[in-house]
């Protein structure tokens, strides 16, 4: 087993443990302050690893309720850090409406246009990282903000 495989399995275990711990707590929604602080200020790469790994677990059949709940809580932390009047924030649902970037050329355009994506990261470079519904896929793609349209928050 390679180092990368081992690292992915460790991340999987940690995400599952945290998701189950948060899921077992009744009556209080959201992450405890100390846990939320750990997810504050995520870089694009960090957000990609967390949401990609969690998405992979959900997509391939792990108990999705606790993981989806955890993903939503992490998005809420990111959303709280976004500027109040930002055009897009983490957690927003969007559709691709503009010209497809080269990075999406291998995908079926009709499917991309029908898919609702969730914003996972908003870059300072006029791009967003988007992820489809986890049951459909879990891959995160970086696209220009100009080609997406918010469908709900």
């Amino acid at each position: 087993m390679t180092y990368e495989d081992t690292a992915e399995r460790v991340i999987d275990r940690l995400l599952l443990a945290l998701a189950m711990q948060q899921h077992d707590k009744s009556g209080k929604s959201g992450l405890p302050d100390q846990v939320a602080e750990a997810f504050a200020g995520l870089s694009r790469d960090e957000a990609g690893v967390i949401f990609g790994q969690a998405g992979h677990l959900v997509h391939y059949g792990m108990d999705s309720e606790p993981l989806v709940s955890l993903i939503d809580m992490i998005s809420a932390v990111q959303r709280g850090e976004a500027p109040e009047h930002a055009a897009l924030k983490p957690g927003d649902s969007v559709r691709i409406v503009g010209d497809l970037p080269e990075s999406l050329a291998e995908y079926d355009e009709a499917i991309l246009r029908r898919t609702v994506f969730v914003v996972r990261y908003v870059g300072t470079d006029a791009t967003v990282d988007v992820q489809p519904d986890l049951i459909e896929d879990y891959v995160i793609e970086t696209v220009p903000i100009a080609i997406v349209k918010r469908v709900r928050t």
Side-chain angles (χ1 to χ4, degrees):
M1 183 176 291
T2 68
Y3 175 81
E4 289 79 14
D5 293 336
T6 302
E8 284 183 18
R9 291 187 68 199
V10 168
I11 293 168
D12 289 351
R13 288 173 184 260
L14 292 172
L15 285 170
L16 287 167
L18 182 58
M20 294 309 293
Q21 180 184 26
Q22 295 310 327
H23 187 68
D24 286 344
K25 295 187 184 263
S26 58
K28 184 179 179 192
S29 64
L31 297 170
D33 290 343
Q34 300 89 341
V35 176
E37 287 176 22
F39 290 112
L42 292 176
S43 70
R44 171 172 266 148
D45 290 340
E46 291 168 334
V49 168
I50 290 169
F51 291 114
Q53 284 299 118
H56 183 265
L57 289 169
V58 171
H59 183 73
Y60 286 105
M62 294 303 280
D63 183 9
S64 65
E65 186 179 344
L67 281 165
V68 170
S69 180
L70 177 62
I71 289 169
D72 290 344
M73 287 185 243
I74 296 169
S75 285
V77 170
Q78 290 180 297
R79 190 173 187 80
E81 295 177 326
E84 185 178 334
H85 298 294
L88 290 174
K89 296 181 181 183
D92 284 348
S93 294
V94 298
R95 286 192 190 271
I96 296 176
V97 296
D99 294 334
L100 296 181
E102 196 171 305
S103 63
L104 298 178
E106 68 186 64
Y107 295 95
D108 181 289
E109 184 172 351
I111 291 173
L112 287 174
R113 303 262 183 225
R114 286 191 310 266
T115 301
V116 174
F117 294 88
V118 177
V119 174
R120 295 299 183 204
Y121 184 86
V122 179
T124 57
D125 58 352
T127 62
V128 290
D129 289 7
V130 295
Q131 186 177 37
D133 179 274
L134 301 177
I135 300 303
E136 294 178 27
D137 201 349
Y138 61 91
V139 175
I140 298 173
E141 294 288 345
T142 301
V143 299
I145 288 175
I147 72 161
V148 298
K149 179 181 177 185
R150 184 172 31 183
V151 292
R152 62 183 178 268
T153 57

